[in-house]
Amino acid sequence: MVRAARAALDPGGPGSEITLRDVSHRFDLDGAPLPVLDHIDLHVARGEFVALLGPSGCGKSTLLRLVAGLEKPSSGEIFADGAPIAGPHPSRVVVFQDPTLFPWRHVFDNVALGLEAQGLLKSRRGRVDQTLRLVGLDNFAKAFPHQLSGGMSQRVALARALVNDPAVLILDEPLGKLDSLTRMTMQGEIVNLWRRAGFTVLLVTHDIEEALLMATRLIVLSDRPAMVKADIRVDKPYPRHRGDPDLVSRRREILGLLGLEASW
Amino acid sequence: MTSVSPATERLSSQAAERQPAQDDAGRAGAPARGWVSDSVLSVLAGSSWLLFAFITLHWPDLNDWGRGSEFSHAAILFGAALILAAGLGAVSERGAARLRRSTPWLLALGLFFSLWQAATAKFGLLPQPFFPPPHAILEVFLDDYPKLVESVIASIKLELFGFSLGACAGFVVGVLLGWSRGFGYWAHPIMRFIGPLPSIAWLPIAFFAFPSSWSASIFLIALTTGFPVAVLTWSGVASVNSAYYDVARTLGASPAFLVFKVAIPAALPQVFVGLFMGLGASFAVLVTAEMMGVKAGLGFYLQWAQGWASYANMYAALIVMSVMCSSMITLLFKARDRVLSYKKAEVQW
């Protein structure tokens, strides 16, 4: 436990490496077990940007919850920098599909949530302003969440995660509910933030194009219970372009893996 | 007991539906009229008060009631002021706008007082002494105000003590019910058993179980307030979006942080619904307790006035009581608007 905490606090670099060893997970549906993850082995290197793709309901988000420490796997082990994950830790922060900002807090206080919870707010107030500037919302520090648009809210959620200087940023379809223009902008922004800070990213998305534009590695999962179906490296330089013929052909390849080649 | 939660939702959805019926100022506004008809209405309102004064002064009373002339002189001044104010639109646009909102009501009140005066003091249409004329009630206010003030203070003290105690206890119990399964195991059955019981039913027992009728009344008011506050706080805490907890936990929140910085703020809108329900219910207990045992307060005043068959005193006490209760509800609304300032106001009181 002590070792785990020390390892998580001192990753020896900006990102963490995440290892899933033979991880299976079941939900209990009225006494009947529902297997969700089936013997997943996965190693994510420090600073990698990994996108998880898979059919709807296959267990991608569950996998993220396990890595975040919000739930414990039914069997198998998950390590962050070699130490087993025992629970949630601010070095591994999640951005959910819904911004889930606290409506009773100003934007500033929402972003400051993590520092406040860890008792660091007094010493690191400036970091909150800095992060708000980073996501372009420094003028909205005193606004309430209900006054923000969907894209702005998701930016606040992103700032709320980044202010903790996470070693792993866990993104659970963070752009899923945004309009396509905001989405394209934010795809670029997230990639830039990642390249600058160097943390490890785990991204769940249902959008293959998004995964190809952003990630260095794509993991394609099977139907529930999820198994790793394909592990694809994307070694293209950034910024990437939607029309890139190589990306287009990979998109087709992945659609095939997902059993959707007919829709091409 | 769980049925309370949908009822509250209905309450707030009704509140939301009512909103469009209100104008920008947030209150039901007077219908728009032209400048001339505004002035005419103002003159009419003034005349209605002059009419009241005329009836009171120049038509002998059937009986002997005091303060008729004082009331009439005040009405004359007021009526004259209203008639003069008809020309206010030319001087102050703002003052005229403010007056415009109330003139229909002032006219209606002037007519109502005139009718009341005629039906009681002049024609004796309404049975006496149950329906005293308006100036008899004024007489109570002018002559008996020390006792009325004393009663109001006693009532407010009792109500505030009982309500605060019940609200705090209900809040704590509600949070614990929503948060701790172990506490819920023991507290839930007790709540189900005792909660729905009307507090008044405890009255005979409370009055001998407690050292004084005053402390017994505090207990009863606290009990009445506490139950709805506990149930709604509980349902508020229990229905907090679990994603809020996930977010806070991944950011390093301790269990205490989850209770005080997530669950409670998220439940506050529900808590206020409980406070409103508790406050409304506690008024009934306050007055009953004062009538039955406490030798002070407006309820006691009512009881005492009834003993002397002085109905004017009873009406005076009712008016004071209504102002008192309404003010407390106003204060609670103000507190809610302050605490929940992040939300748009739902209902203007």
Side-chain angles (χ1 to χ4, degrees):
Chain A
M1 194 56 206
V2 176
R3 214 175 41 143
R6 194 177 300 147
L9 284 171
D10 180 25
S16 274
E17 60 177 339
I18 299 289
T19 310
L20 282 80
R21 194 174 295 157
D22 196 24
V23 169
S24 296
H25 196 63
R26 285 179 292 279
F27 285 135
D28 194 30
L29 277 187
D30 298 322
L34 176 75
V36 187
L37 300 176
D38 188 14
H39 301 287
I40 303 238
D41 277 298
L42 184 65
H43 179 81
V44 178
R46 220 177 278 274
E48 235 180 342
F49 194 136
V50 173
L52 297 163
L53 283 165
S56 169
C58 78
K60 305 177 294 251
S61 298
T62 308
L63 201 147
L64 291 195
R65 290 181 68 83
L66 297 181
V67 173
L70 289 168
E71 280 168 54
K72 282 206 169 76
S74 309
S75 70
E77 278 178 302
I78 306 178
F79 302 91
D81 292 322
I85 289 174
H89 191 275
S91 66
R92 298 183 304 274
V93 191
V94 190
V95 178
F96 296 94
Q97 183 173 16
D98 287 308
T100 46
L101 304 179
F102 291 4
W104 58 89
R105 285 174 166 242
H106 287 126
V107 164
F108 182 96
D109 295 326
N110 264 291
V111 174
L113 192 71
L115 297 179
E116 191 184 327
Q118 298 156 52
L120 298 172
L121 185 54
K122 267 199 183 137
S123 54
R124 298 176 68 180
R125 267 193 100 77
R127 186 83 182 89
V128 179
D129 296 312
Q130 197 186 334
T131 314
L132 275 172
R133 262 199 304 282
L134 195 66
V135 297
L137 286 174
D138 36 337
N139 290 327
F140 290 87
K142 285 284 155 233
F144 278 115
H146 74 84
Q147 297 166 308
L148 304 179
S149 70
M152 287 156 89
S153 300
Q154 202 51 282
R155 280 202 177 86
V156 176
L158 196 59
R160 180 177 61 187
L162 294 175
V163 81
N164 304 287
D165 296 317
V168 184
L169 187 62
I170 300 172
L171 305 173
D172 190 359
E173 289 196 47
L175 310 179
K177 284 190 176 168
L178 301 182
D179 65 277
S180 54
L181 289 178
T182 313
R183 192 159 162 173
M184 288 187 205
T185 323
M186 285 192 70
Q187 286 168 352
E189 286 174 12
I190 292 174
V191 166
N192 288 339
L193 288 167
W194 160 70
R195 291 177 70 197
R196 207 176 323 163
F199 41 67
T200 309
V201 181
L202 283 177
L203 167 75
V204 156
T205 177
H206 58 262
D207 181 345
I208 301 170
E209 190 182 78
E210 179 172 286
L212 285 167
L213 281 175
M214 298 173 78
T216 56
R217 192 175 157 202
L218 270 58
I219 305 289
V220 182
L221 297 172
S222 69
D223 238 327
R224 192 180 57 232
M227 291 182 295
V228 178
K229 213 168 174 183
D231 188 339
I232 302 164
R233 284 194 184 278
V234 187
D235 294 324
K236 291 240 149 209
Y238 297 92
R240 297 174 181 169
H241 299 284
R242 270 155 231 279
D244 186 323
D246 187 32
L247 292 187
V248 171
S249 73
R250 278 168 184 245
R251 180 160 177 263
R252 175 195 252 156
E253 178 194 338
I254 295 165
L255 276 171
L257 284 169
L258 293 170
L260 291 166
E261 55 273 78
S263 60
W264 175 246
Chain B
M1 193 165 302
T2 41
S3 68
V4 173
S5 163
T8 349
E9 278 167 25
R10 231 175 297 131
L11 196 79
S12 44
S13 73
Q14 275 173 4
E17 279 163 22
R18 222 177 295 140
Q19 205 169 359
Q22 297 173 338
D23 65 5
D24 293 339
R27 286 173 189 276
R33 296 177 300 266
W35 186 83
V36 177
S37 50
D38 279 342
S39 307
V40 171
L41 205 60
S42 195
V43 171
L44 280 176
S47 312
S48 71
W49 287 88
L50 293 182
L51 171 72
F52 167 73
F54 182 80
I55 293 175
T56 311
L57 286 177
H58 294 279
W59 193 345
D61 283 355
L62 291 175
N63 213 325
D64 185 27
W65 290 288
R67 304 292 184 172
S69 62
E70 283 94 331
F71 205 164
S72 310
H73 292 138
I76 289 171
L77 283 179
F78 188 56
L82 274 175
I83 291 171
L84 285 178
L88 191 64
V91 191
S92 157
E93 188 56 44
R94 208 128 156 254
R98 194 176 278 181
L99 182 67
R100 197 183 308 144
R101 268 213 335 222
S102 21
T103 36
W105 262 106
L106 292 174
L107 170 60
L109 278 176
L111 292 175
F112 171 71
F113 273 104
S114 306
L115 274 176
W116 179 6
Q117 184 71 285
T120 52
K122 311 302 177 184
F123 286 116
L125 289 177
L126 293 171
Q128 295 302 327
F130 309 107
F131 296 96
H135 51 284
I137 295 175
L138 179 72
E139 185 182 19
V140 175
F141 281 124
L142 293 177
D143 294 352
D144 207 24
Y145 73 89
K147 199 155 189 326
L148 274 172
V149 169
E150 193 186 303
S151 304
V152 175
I153 291 174
S155 287
I156 290 178
K157 227 162 97 184
L158 190 59
E159 172 68 25
L160 278 188
F161 264 111
F163 178 75
S164 318
L165 202 69
C168 293
F171 178 75
V172 172
V173 168
V175 170
L176 286 172
L177 274 172
W179 195 257
S180 156
R181 210 164 273 183
F183 182 84
Y185 175 80
W186 293 105
H188 188 199
I190 300 176
M191 287 256 304
R192 286 184 67 152
F193 187 66
I194 292 178
L197 202 63
S199 304
I200 301 293
W202 288 93
L203 203 117
I205 297 173
F207 275 162
F208 76 72
F210 278 83
S212 65
S213 57
W214 199 75
S215 54
S217 309
I218 297 269
F219 166 74
L220 293 177
I221 292 170
L223 196 64
T224 311
T225 310
F227 179 59
V229 173
V231 172
L232 279 148
T233 305
W234 171 27
S235 101
V237 169
S239 63
V240 173
N241 184 352
S242 67
Y244 288 162
Y245 295 131
D246 286 346
V247 165
R249 281 173 64 210
T250 60
L251 295 175
S254 62
F257 190 91
L258 293 182
V259 175
F260 291 105
K261 300 284 186 158
V262 183
I264 289 176
L268 272 184
Q270 290 268 68
V271 174
F272 270 99
V273 176
L275 287 172
F276 278 107
M277 289 169 70
L279 186 62
S282 72
F283 291 146
V285 180
L286 170 75
V287 175
T288 315
E290 285 175 344
M291 283 178 153
M292 305 289 281
V294 184
K295 296 264 177 286
L298 286 169
F300 172 68
Y301 187 96
L302 266 179
Q303 187 83 345
W304 168 85
Q306 194 198 15
W308 292 95
S310 42
Y311 287 87
N313 293 60
M314 293 174 64
Y315 286 105
L318 278 180
I319 292 168
V320 174
M321 201 183 281
S322 148
V323 171
M324 180 186 80
C325 297
S326 183
S327 307
M328 287 186 187
I329 290 182
T330 306
L331 277 177
L332 189 56
F333 263 103
K334 288 243 189 295
R336 186 202 64 168
D337 290 347
R338 224 187 149 80
V339 174
L340 305 183
S341 61
Y342 65 89
K343 292 183 115 194
K344 290 168 207 145
E346 282 160 353
V347 185
Q348 293 276 342
W349 168 251

